[in-house]
Amino acid sequence: VVDLAEKEMDNPTFRSDTVLSDVHLHCPSKRHLMVRLNAVGQPVFLSYFKLLWSTEDLASGKHVREITTGREHQCRSGDELCDKDRNNVKKEGELNREGVEALLDDDGDLDVVRRPPSASDLQAEDLLRDIVCPVILMKGKEDAFEDEEQECTCSDVVKIEHTMATPLEDVGKQVWRAAFLLADYILFQRDTFRCCSVLELGGGTGITSIIMGTVAKRVYCTDVGEDLLAMCEQNVALNKHLMESGGGEIKVRELDWLKDEFCTDPEAPYSWSEEEIADLLDHCSVIMAADVFYDDDLTDALFRTLYRITHNLRSSCTVYLALEKRLNFTLRHMDVTCEAYSHFRNTLNDLENLQDGKMKYTVEPVKLDFCQFLVYERIEQL
């Protein structure tokens, strides 16, 4: 948690009532630009997230480049880097064995030596994540955007406006790692989602819906809060060019899990029309949600919403849930626990065991051995 007040941007202070996604601090962008203040006075940043594909690649059916993040290096452009690293590991092993034989004392004890630096550490400098600090875009610095535009091509970058260091109730305005994971799966299985009608619950900044919009026919990206939905709509507009080749459409709409009905008030922004509700219930075959399981009450509300919507769908659908298992030390347990994750699993089991004579839910885990299409840190807790 970090408080990034404008006057203290260079010296962040930690507070217990703010939450910060480290995606913003460890993404490969060279810098984040603060572009405006939102309606509640929070600084809004514009970040570029690198894609390892282009719209031309998707149209031609080319294989995407794959990267792995199990260690401190990533493999791209075939096996060239991997082969170099394997050779370096072999050389390091030989050096270490020589060192072991040379540094045994009279009693046979080993004096541990520091690992020799490998050539790959220097050659793959651009593959390692960089700590990124926010840069305030001051008056007279508008040309900074032109520099960024020259560095990024339209077909391999997702532009996202977001905030940082928000209160817990505004975490949807940040970008979270599980959204990237779900986006990876969508691109990996793009034929599965092609021409589908999709509903996203808790869409936040909209990055997953934007990726889904490159292959699906129509995406209803939903969340709650006018300021958040306006940010999401802005992000959809910023990335409209990514969806043009596939003809996808994204509609940003309000969907409050604590309410039993869709918002249909014509005076309310981001409300649903009767035609849109009918279209959703008649054609929706995919529901998705990423990193929305952090509060037990909201988790319960989400599953109630899932049941209500799927119960009213004309056809069966598949629900994709992505999350990060977060470890926390609690004074109540005096131990490291995953309370939010445990509650999610218990509620998911209840849904699978539901016997109401109307609905049948089957839960299946998805192996995380699919390709990585966006540059981020795919940690084992995802």
Side-chain angles (χ1 to χ4, degrees):
V1 290
V2 60
D3 178 19
L4 292 177
E6 183 173 355
K7 293 182 180 180
E8 301 176 350
M9 189 63 71
D10 294 331
N11 298 293
T13 57
F14 290 84
R15 290 172 45 182
S16 61
D17 60 345
T18 52
V19 182
L20 173 65
S21 168
D22 63 358
V23 167
H24 305 314
L25 298 181
H26 297 295
C27 73
S29 305
K30 290 190 175 181
R31 60 181 180 265
H32 302 282
L33 297 178
M34 190 184 110
V35 292
R36 61 184 173 87
L37 295 177
N38 62 17
V40 295
Q42 296 168 334
V44 176
F45 295 82
L46 176 64
S47 294
Y48 296 115
F49 297 100
K50 180 73 173 178
L51 287 162
L52 300 180
W53 59 273
S54 67
T55 52
E56 291 81 5
D57 292 335
L58 292 181
S60 62
K62 294 181 180 178
H63 292 292
V64 73
R65 290 163 284 173
E66 179 180 357
I67 65 176
T68 58
T69 56
R71 295 290 180 181
E72 285 188 329
H73 68 275
Q74 298 173 329
C75 303
R76 291 190 293 187
S77 301
D79 294 329
E80 180 181 355
L81 287 175
C82 299
D83 292 338
K84 289 181 180 179
D85 288 342
R86 280 193 289 268
N87 292 333
N88 287 325
V89 169
K90 182 178 179 181
K91 293 177 182 178
E92 291 166 13
E94 295 172 354
L95 289 174
N96 285 339
R97 284 194 296 273
E98 294 173 359
V100 168
E101 295 172 358
L103 295 176
L104 292 178
D105 61 18
D106 294 338
D107 297 328
D109 297 325
L110 173 65
D111 290 333
V112 179
V113 295
R114 192 179 294 271
R115 179 178 67 87
S118 70
S120 62
D121 293 338
L122 301 176
Q123 295 171 354
E125 181 180 2
D126 62 319
L127 301 181
L128 304 179
R129 67 182 190 176
D130 297 322
I131 300 297
V132 182
C133 297
V135 173
I136 302 300
L137 184 64
M138 304 301 292
K139 185 176 181 180
K141 298 288 185 177
E142 290 83 356
D143 58 336
F145 282 109
E146 298 178 2
D147 296 337
E148 292 287 335
E149 291 288 349
Q150 294 173 0
E151 295 171 1
C152 303
T153 61
C154 292
S155 61
D156 63 354
V157 167
V158 179
K159 301 176 184 179
I160 296 293
E161 287 193 0
H162 60 87
T163 61
M164 291 196 283
T166 65
L168 186 63
E169 60 268 20
D170 283 338
V171 292
K173 297 176 182 178
Q174 301 187 52
V175 181
W176 299 92
R177 209 180 267 111
F180 288 106
L181 181 72
L182 186 52
D184 276 344
Y185 186 76
I186 292 167
L187 292 173
F188 181 69
Q189 296 283 0
R190 52 186 175 270
D191 289 340
T192 300
F193 302 108
R194 200 175 303 280
C195 300
C196 286
S197 182
V198 181
L199 169 67
E200 181 174 14
L201 301 174
T205 60
I207 186 169
T208 308
S209 282
I210 290 168
I211 296 300
M212 179 64 85
T214 64
V215 292
K217 176 182 179 181
R218 182 172 294 112
V219 181
Y220 291 98
C221 181
T222 68
D223 215 307
V224 64
E226 183 177 345
D227 193 60
L228 172 59
L229 293 171
M231 176 186 291
C232 181
E233 191 171 54
Q234 169 69 4
N235 288 331
V236 171
L238 286 173
N239 297 279
K240 188 176 181 180
H241 59 282
L242 296 176
M243 295 163 274
E244 289 177 349
S245 60
E249 177 186 22
I250 299 178
K251 295 190 175 185
V252 179
R253 294 293 180 263
E254 177 183 328
L255 183 56
D256 192 340
W257 306 340
L258 301 178
K259 297 179 181 179
D260 294 332
E261 301 294 337
F262 293 94
C263 176
T264 57
D265 181 1
E267 300 297 324
Y270 307 105
S271 62
W272 295 73
S273 68
E274 295 295 339
E275 292 77 13
E276 289 171 341
I277 296 175
D279 174 66
L280 176 71
L281 299 180
D282 287 344
H283 301 108
C284 180
S285 59
V286 174
I287 299 176
M288 61 181 184
D291 240 331
V292 295
F293 305 102
Y294 55 89
D295 177 89
D296 291 356
D297 292 336
L298 288 179
T299 296
D300 294 339
L302 172 62
F303 276 99
R304 287 195 299 269
T305 300
L306 266 180
Y307 176 81
R308 174 172 57 85
I309 292 176
T310 54
H311 181 266
N312 291 315
L313 291 179
R314 181 181 294 272
S315 304
S316 61
C317 76
T318 305
V319 182
Y320 295 91
L321 305 176
L323 71 158
E324 181 177 337
K325 184 178 181 181
R326 292 182 172 85
L327 308 175
N328 297 288
F329 180 87
T330 62
L331 294 176
R332 182 158 62 98
H333 296 92
M334 292 302 293
D335 198 0
V336 175
T337 64
C338 304
E339 290 188 288
Y341 176 77
S342 298
H343 185 76
F344 158 76
R345 290 303 309 229
N346 291 334
T347 311
L348 186 63
N349 291 337
D350 291 341
L351 186 69
E352 187 176 23
N353 296 327
L354 180 68
Q355 296 181 358
D356 63 355
K358 301 177 181 178
M359 303 293 296
K360 171 65 176 176
Y361 297 89
T362 302
V363 177
E364 298 178 5
V366 177
K367 293 183 179 180
L368 302 188
D369 56 356
F370 48 87
C371 299
Q372 185 168 338
F373 292 77
L374 291 113
V375 179
Y376 67 101
E377 188 179 26
R378 188 185 285 186
I379 61 176
E380 63 180 10
Q381 286 79 23
L382 287 173

